[in-house]
Amino acid sequence: MAKLMGGLATSHIPAIGGAIHKGIQQEPYWKPFFDGYPPVQNWLKNAKPDVVVVFYNDHGLNFFLDKMPTFAVGAAAQYNNADEGWGIPTLPPFQGNMALSWHLINHLVAHDFDVTTCQEMLVDHACTLPLKLFWPEGPCPVQVVPICINTVQFPLPSAKRVYALGKAVGEAIAQWPSDHKVAVVASGGLSHQLDGERAGFINKAFDLEFMDSLVSNPEWATQFNTLELVEKTGTQGVELLMWLAMRAALSSASGRVREVHRNYHIPISNTATGLMAFSVD
Ligand code: DHB
Ligand code: FE
């Protein structure tokens, strides 16, 4: 059976892609952010996952407001990036793993998750930037299965439901008849609000409590309903649901979940940026 070997979570912001493209990672504005990643990159060089399942939210590239699935799973051989209008370079295509995609889809539907299956799927900065941050050199060395969770248009899935989805994904990975090593990636958060009266809102105390909860009490954030999460984290901060899905997936793996590394830095653009890595020992 496949081995679920760990989980990673990071914020995503289009400007990160611009900074990588310009090679300005060591400038004072960017250094405290980018310095978080080498320990995780080095850990990944040893741990070497073959495939990553990426929980992220599409921002209008693949799904627009006219058609918005709550949960969508990629089932393509290849995922293309495209111009999102942020002025960031378009990255080369990412290779999928269709066997894992269909295994996940079958498992999720059999366990009452009514997912949308996507045999074509454009992937935006939320899917591509974490891969670039974790594997900065050359083409992405891992295969990818993207899972979109709607945090863009109400109604959003509850934290409880997202946790259940993540748990089911973890169970499915553990039952996948394959000798692949699989990692789960979360892309989004932490607290930020891009528009409205509270534009620029950041909640450091909540972010840090949330990060701690993922180590010792991963279901902690499921006590909050969606409006409470928006209040505490901002309208875009609800992207932290991806972190919850990732951590829930690890909770169903056999093995001890151990924190490998973390970083937290405020702000990049409008966002409180977080990074966490967990291994399953
Ligand atoms: C920003 C943050 C996001 O999560 C995003 O998707 C786009 C922009 C920002 O802080 O600029
Ligand atoms: Fe976002």
Side-chain angles (χ1 to χ4, degrees), residues 234-248:
T235 42
Q236 280 72 37
V238 284
E239 289 175 350
L240 59 70
L241 288 176
M242 314 305 156
W243 294 46
L244 207 53
M246 174 280 288
R247 185 59 183 83

Side-chain angles (χ1 to χ4, degrees), residues 28-274:
Y29 179 81
W30 288 103
K31 189 173 166 46
F33 171 78
F34 280 104
D35 278 359
Y37 291 85
V40 178
Q41 293 159 2
N42 290 334
W43 172 65
L44 286 168
K45 273 183 195 151
N46 288 321
K48 276 200 176 62
D50 306 295
V51 194
V52 292
V53 175
V54 183
F55 290 111
Y56 77 108
N57 58 299
D58 180 85
H59 300 71
L61 182 70
N62 191 70
F63 303 112
F64 202 61
L65 303 182
D66 58 336
K67 298 179 191 72
M68 185 56 68
T70 301
F71 301 129
V73 183
Q78 178 176 298
Y79 299 94
N80 293 344
N81 183 213
D83 183 3
E84 301 171 54
W86 295 96
I88 53 178
T90 299
L91 294 171
F94 295 84
Q95 298 311 306
N97 184 308
M98 290 181 53
L100 179 55
S101 287
W102 286 108
H103 175 75
L104 288 176
I105 290 163
N106 283 320
H107 184 95
L108 290 172
V109 173
H111 290 80
D112 303 328
F113 292 91
D114 305 320
V115 298
T116 300
T117 58
C118 300
Q119 298 188 58
E120 284 183 17
M121 196 174 188
L122 290 174
V123 287
D124 76 359
H125 66 277
C127 184
T128 63
L129 288 181
L131 300 170
K132 204 69 204 154
L133 286 165
F134 295 137
W135 292 278
E137 291 137 27
C140 181
V142 292
Q143 298 174 325
V144 179
V145 175
I147 300 184
C148 256
I149 299 177
N150 168 34
T151 55
V152 170
Q153 175 166 261
F154 276 75
L156 312 186
S158 69
K160 237 184 218 147
R161 185 67 175 153
V162 167
Y163 195 92
L165 176 85
K167 212 158 169 239
V169 166
E171 282 158 11
I173 292 168
Q175 293 168 23
W176 184 32
S178 155
D179 56 6
H180 283 69
K181 283 205 260 182
V182 183
V184 184
V185 170
S187 173
L190 291 171
S191 59
H192 63 299
Q193 172 144 345
L194 300 181
D195 46 22
E197 274 177 25
R198 291 201 310 166
F201 174 79
I202 275 174
N203 187 346
K204 179 175 177 180
F206 184 87
D207 289 340
L208 296 182
E209 197 169 5
F210 175 65
M211 289 170 92
D212 284 344
S213 78
L214 294 184
V215 180
S216 53
N217 182 15
E219 291 186 53
W220 175 78
T222 63
Q223 70 182 288
F224 302 113
N225 68 33
T226 302
L227 290 180
E228 287 169 336
L229 280 179
V230 168
E231 189 182 7
K232 288 174 190 308
T233 69
T235 42
Q236 280 72 37
V238 284
E239 289 175 350
L240 59 70
L241 288 176
M242 314 305 156
W243 294 46
L244 207 53
M246 174 280 288
R247 185 59 183 83
L250 300 190
S251 75
S252 60
S254 61
R256 195 174 68 93
V257 179
R258 182 175 59 85
E259 180 180 347
V260 172
H261 184 68
R262 79 165 83 177
N263 192 41
Y264 183 78
H265 173 65
I266 298 173
I268 292 294
S269 187
N270 298 292
T271 299
T273 60

